[in-house]
Amino acid sequence: SDGSIRLHQMTSEYPLMQWNDSTKGQPIIALQWALTRPAVFFALDASSSVYIWDLLENDLLPVAKQTIPSEKVVTMTLLGEPEKANGLLGIVLAKESGQIDIQYVKKKWALP
């Protein structure tokens, strides 16, 4: 609820990494690992901003942020085929009106 993200290992109650105030205090409403690249995850905050984290490139801050200005995004999920090495990865954004928006991610964040 405060924009903090914690990375846990299943065998420990303590986080391996913790990023406080990663969204400048906005609650995180969805977070998902990339299907095609294990070191990348995406977070959606309550102000309709999507953050891309690539832990191999920078483990302190997100490598990209995109705000969806037109309308409130209520949730997101990712699509892709992890068994294929084509690097195709998409973000599916569900908007408050019921509209679905699909955006494809740059290859550098999608390739295995």
Side-chain angles (χ1 to χ4, degrees), residues 7 17 19 33 37-41 52-63 109:
L7 176 64
M17 295 281 294
W19 299 277
W33 285 101
R37 187 175 172 96
V40 174
F41 66 91
I52 302 173
W53 293 76
D54 183 345
L55 300 179
L56 296 177
E57 186 177 326
N58 186 341
D59 64 358
L60 298 175
L61 300 167
V63 294
W109 297 314

Side-chain angles (χ1 to χ4, degrees), residues 29-32 41-44 50-51 73-78 91-94:
I29 57 175
L31 190 138
Q32 189 173 350
F41 66 91
F42 297 78
L44 170 67
V50 176
Y51 300 82
V73 178
V74 294
T75 193
M76 76 166 187
T77 192
L78 300 177
I91 303 174
V92 181
L93 303 168

